[in-house]
């Protein structure tokens, strides 16, 4: 059977060290029997027009060994949001860069998905094919203030930029490898030719350091999908190599959404005082993240009252996550197979997103500040040692310093509970280990929230303009809609109680009565 392979020219000059690639025009169409094609690179480059360079994040961060730390790398690219709507554009000319378009309320297409703490990769149309360029490289990444690592990602960030395209389009994706080991890219859940599936050794050779490969296929579906390596994946996933691939339907959706969010769940093992994730730790991770950020560094999800909101979630961590949203019953409307028929939608308040799965949640926004988080209690916390007992009720005065002589990262839990731990950290009485997040550091309008990790806030207001994603601040509760204190007396009222209350200094646990009696009533 005849195979047709994309031919890409090698471009050289006498300056620089970074390979820049220019496809031969026009490019040969690829049949269903296409294979992944390697693009030969050299140690020199030719300076093309900026629209032909691989797109990177503003304040783009290249390899950690060659670029200084840049805090600006983690700011979301808001260039496509909070703008007035523009007239519909005509079809782009060949090789013209296509910028993400302004949000138009119920619009669906490239530029309409918002990736909190992330961004969407600009594409360009070349002879009717939508082109992207991904660069796998070592980067600097911050989970939140006080914890930075050397990670691996795409185009300067982890997760890598979100790819957005339209069902039925043909896409061409260049992948340049700036890592020091071979890699590949698997397009998770996509229907495509075997030779484009991105499994090193099975469907393609590895993309060696310095090489660029091109993947090209026609999109035969719509929905929420991901991309990640299938090459040394235990290490490369643990180091942060992942991204979202959103395919919009060709026609209008039956129930269009007003706000379309997308996020990836992940977890990381970063030992106290270290700066590189440990890929050998598979489950007892200490940093749990939404789009590689831990609360309070997670960006809030903003909406206007009455808007239809979709949250697309992919899980590339090593644990299943029961994701819980306060304030509404959301409909689970889709998964790895795209948006489901309306008859298959089901209402939930908590939905497990398994390892390697995608789930879409949709709801009508109601005013307030609503928590959105994993319901695994230790997943909404920062680093802690799960194999060290939490000695409730034990006075640990002076013990912590002695233990730290042999376990430098040890921090004693509170005598009366873990909430006091955050208070001590905030007051500077208990400094944490180097480069380690506090277990809980988020503050709200009423004090410490007491959660961290895989947690964020859905902020809904009546006066937010369509397409405005700025943080509106904390919610102002209408009169009569805020819980309040009615007494400071622990003996207040006459509540019905059973069992034996533990006395001070007693080792006995309360024993509830189970005889069904109504004594002392």
């Amino acid at each position: 059977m005849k195979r047709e392979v994309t031919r890409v020219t090698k471009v050289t000059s006498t300056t620089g060290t970074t390979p820049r690639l220019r496809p031969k025009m026009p490019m040969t169409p690829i049949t269903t029997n296409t294979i992944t094609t390697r693009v030969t690179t050299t140690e020199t480059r030719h300076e093309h027009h900026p629209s032909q360079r691989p797109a990177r994040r503003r304040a783009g961060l290249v390899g950690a060994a060659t670029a200084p730390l840049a805090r600006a790398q983690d700011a979301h690219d808001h260039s496509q949001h909070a703008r007035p709507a523009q007239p519909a554009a005509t079809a782009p000319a060949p090789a013209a860069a296509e910028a993400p378009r302004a949000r138009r309320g119920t619009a669906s297409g490239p530029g309409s998905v918002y990736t909190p703490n992330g961004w969407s990769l600009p594409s360009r149309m070349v002879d009717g094919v939508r082109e992207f360029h991904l660069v796998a490289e070592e980067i600097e990444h911050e989970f939140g203030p006080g914890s930075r690592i050397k990670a691996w990602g795409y185009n300067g960030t982890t997760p890598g930029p979100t790819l957005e395209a339209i069902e039925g389009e043909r896409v061409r994706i260049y992948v340049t490898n700036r890592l020091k080991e071979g890699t590949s890219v698997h397009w998770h859940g996509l229907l495509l030719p075997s030779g484009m599936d991105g499994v090193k050794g099975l469907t393609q050779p590895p993309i060696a350091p310095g090489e660029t490969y091109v993947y090209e296929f026609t999109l035969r579906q719509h929905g929420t999908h991901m991309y990640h390596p299938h090459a040394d994946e235990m290490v490369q996933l643990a180091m942060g190599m992942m991204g979202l691939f959103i395919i919009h339907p060709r026609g209008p959706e039956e129930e269009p959404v007003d706000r379309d969010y997308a996020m990836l769940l992940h977890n990381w093992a970063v030992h106290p005082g270290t700066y590189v994730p440990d890929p050998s730790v598979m489950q007892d991770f200490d940093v749990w993240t939404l789009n590689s950020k831990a609360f309070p560094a997670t960006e809030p999800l903003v909406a206007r009252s009455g808007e239809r909101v979709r949250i697309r979630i992919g899980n590339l961590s090593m644990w299943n996550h029961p994701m819980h949203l306060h304030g509404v019953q959301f409909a689970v409307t889709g998964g790895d197979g795209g948006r489901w028929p309306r008859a298959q939608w089901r209402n939930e308040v908590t939905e497990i997103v398994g390892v390697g799965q995608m789930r879409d949640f949709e709801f009508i926004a109601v005013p307030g500040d609503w928590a959105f988080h994993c319901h695994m209690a230790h997943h909404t916390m920062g680093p802690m040692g799960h194999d060290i007992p939490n000695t409730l009720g034990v006075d640990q005065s002076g013990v912590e310093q002695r233990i730290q002589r042999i376990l430098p990262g040890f921090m004693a839990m509170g005598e009366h509970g873990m909430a006091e731990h955050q208070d001590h950290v905030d007051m500077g009485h208990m400094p944490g280990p180097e480069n380690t997040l506090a277990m809980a550091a988020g503050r709200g309008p009423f004090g410490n929230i007491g959660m961290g990790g895989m947690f964020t806030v859905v902020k809904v207001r009546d006066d937010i303009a369509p397409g405005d994603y700025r943080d509106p601040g904390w919610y102002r509760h209408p009169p009569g809609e805020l819980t309040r204190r009615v007494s400071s007396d622990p003996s207040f009222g006459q509540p019905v109680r059973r069992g034996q209350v533990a006395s001070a200094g007693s080792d006995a646990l309360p024993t509830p009565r189970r005889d069904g009696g109504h004594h002392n009533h």
Side-chain angles (χ1 to χ4, degrees):
M1 182 175 294
K2 180 180 179 182
R3 292 181 181 267
E4 296 186 12
V5 180
T6 302
R7 303 294 182 188
V8 180
T9 59
K10 177 172 67 177
V11 180
T12 62
S13 78
T14 59
T15 61
T17 59
T18 304
R20 302 293 183 186
L21 304 165
R22 179 169 55 192
K24 186 182 290 182
M25 302 276 285
M27 300 191 75
T28 306
I30 296 182
T31 68
T32 56
N33 294 314
T34 50
I35 59 172
T36 309
T37 306
R38 178 170 59 196
V39 180
T40 304
T41 63
T42 68
E43 292 300 315
T44 58
R45 71 177 180 182
H46 185 87
E47 284 294 338
H48 294 306
H49 187 276
S51 66
Q52 293 180 296
R53 297 173 187 166
R56 300 204 183 183
R57 186 100 178 242
R58 282 185 318 193
L61 197 61
V62 296
T66 60
L69 194 63
R71 287 188 178 273
Q73 70 160 349
D74 290 320
H76 192 288
D77 182 357
H78 293 280
S79 59
Q80 69 269 44
H81 302 296
R83 292 192 206 155
Q86 300 295 324
T90 57
E98 180 173 302
R101 68 186 187 185
R103 193 75 174 91
R104 299 186 181 90
T106 58
S108 178
S112 64
V113 168
Y114 190 96
T115 308
N117 296 112
W119 58 304
S120 286
L121 184 64
S123 60
R124 59 196 182 106
M125 301 301 293
V126 179
D127 295 335
V129 178
R130 186 178 296 277
E131 283 192 353
F132 300 94
H133 194 156
L134 292 174
V135 181
E137 57 193 345
E138 186 180 41
I139 62 173
E140 301 270 1
H141 177 73
E142 183 180 73
F143 294 123
S147 181
R148 302 181 71 83
I149 62 167
K150 294 186 184 299
W152 296 356
Y154 297 95
N155 298 58
T157 62
T158 175
T162 298
L163 307 184
E164 295 185 61
I166 301 173
E167 182 180 13
E169 286 186 329
R170 192 165 186 82
V171 294
R172 181 179 299 130
I173 307 169
Y174 295 100
V175 179
T176 297
N177 183 12
R178 293 174 59 90
L179 300 172
K180 296 179 181 179
E181 70 168 3
T183 190
S184 69
V185 180
H186 169 61
W187 315 101
H188 187 104
L190 268 63
L191 305 175
L192 38 63
S194 174
M196 295 291 167
D197 197 42
V199 181
K200 188 200 81 168
L202 177 65
T203 64
Q204 69 168 86
I207 308 173
E211 292 184 335
T212 293
Y213 272 49
V214 61
Y215 298 83
E216 184 165 338
F217 45 88
T218 299
L219 302 177
R220 300 163 50 193
Q221 67 210 97
H222 67 270
T224 307
H225 307 283
M226 304 182 285
Y227 63 89
H228 61 81
H230 264 311
D232 192 14
E233 60 194 87
M234 187 183 85
V235 171
Q236 295 187 10
L237 278 174
M239 292 292 290
M241 296 184 69
M242 56 186 172
L244 289 152
F245 197 143
I246 309 299
I247 306 174
H248 299 278
R250 170 62 64 181
E253 296 187 283
E254 182 180 351
E255 291 195 45
V257 298
D258 301 295
R259 307 249 173 177
D260 204 348
Y261 289 101
M263 59 180 58
L264 281 170
L265 312 179
H266 202 50
N267 44 10
W268 315 70
V270 183
H271 304 305
T274 66
Y275 292 82
V276 178
D278 182 352
S280 68
V281 180
M282 302 294 270
Q283 295 178 343
D284 189 15
F285 286 72
D286 56 18
V287 183
W288 305 86
T289 58
L290 300 172
N291 284 343
S292 299
K293 290 289 187 179
F295 185 77
T298 52
E299 189 175 349
L301 310 186
V302 176
R304 183 185 179 96
S305 302
E307 286 185 325
R308 185 173 192 86
V309 179
R310 172 164 53 205
I311 304 177
R312 306 172 185 257
I313 303 176
N315 182 6
L316 281 176
S317 74
M318 296 296 107
W319 201 270
N320 300 328
H321 298 287
M323 298 304 294
H324 175 57
L325 176 60
H326 295 209
V328 297
Q329 287 185 340
F330 58 80
V332 184
T333 62
D336 303 79
R339 206 181 198 195
W340 302 332
R342 184 66 179 81
Q344 295 181 11
W345 294 7
R346 49 187 169 80
N347 290 338
E348 301 286 355
V349 297
T350 304
E351 172 76 2
I352 292 179
V353 184
V355 177
Q357 281 189 328
M358 318 295 301
R359 285 292 180 266
D360 295 348
F361 302 168
E362 296 183 33
F363 59 94
I364 303 301
V366 296
D369 285 345
W370 307 108
F372 181 53
H373 59 95
C374 176
H375 221 289
M376 292 275 191
H378 63 296
H379 294 185
T380 53
M381 302 179 67
M384 66 176 295
H386 300 154
D387 53 351
I388 299 176
N390 181 7
T391 48
L392 285 171
V394 176
D395 184 355
Q396 302 173 71
S397 302
V399 175
E400 182 179 60
Q401 291 77 12
R402 297 173 64 184
I403 295 178
Q404 284 179 345
R405 295 174 187 172
I406 56 174
L407 293 174
F410 176 76
M411 296 179 69
M413 298 299 99
E415 179 181 348
H416 304 296
M418 296 176 69
E420 63 184 275
H421 182 271
Q422 184 174 350
D423 296 333
H424 293 317
V425 172
D426 289 345
M427 290 185 291
H429 298 164
M430 189 181 292
E434 180 185 354
N435 199 43
T436 303
L437 293 173
M439 285 191 302
R443 291 185 61 84
F446 304 104
N448 291 336
I449 293 178
M451 302 179 91
M454 203 172 278
F455 178 96
T456 190
V457 181
V458 177
K459 297 188 173 184
V460 182
R461 306 290 186 270
D462 294 338
D463 57 353
I464 292 177
D468 186 353
Y469 289 79
R470 292 173 296 183
D471 188 339
W474 299 112
Y475 185 62
R476 295 184 179 181
H477 302 269
E481 294 187 6
L482 179 63
T483 185
R484 68 193 191 282
R485 181 173 57 214
V486 296
S487 175
S488 298
D489 180 2
S491 299
F492 171 77
Q494 296 180 336
V496 176
R497 299 153 76 190
R498 292 186 179 181
Q500 177 183 353
V501 178
S503 59
S506 171
D507 293 332
L509 295 175
T511 305
R513 295 181 63 98
R514 303 188 185 278
D515 57 10
H518 297 274
H519 305 282
N520 300 324
H521 284 201

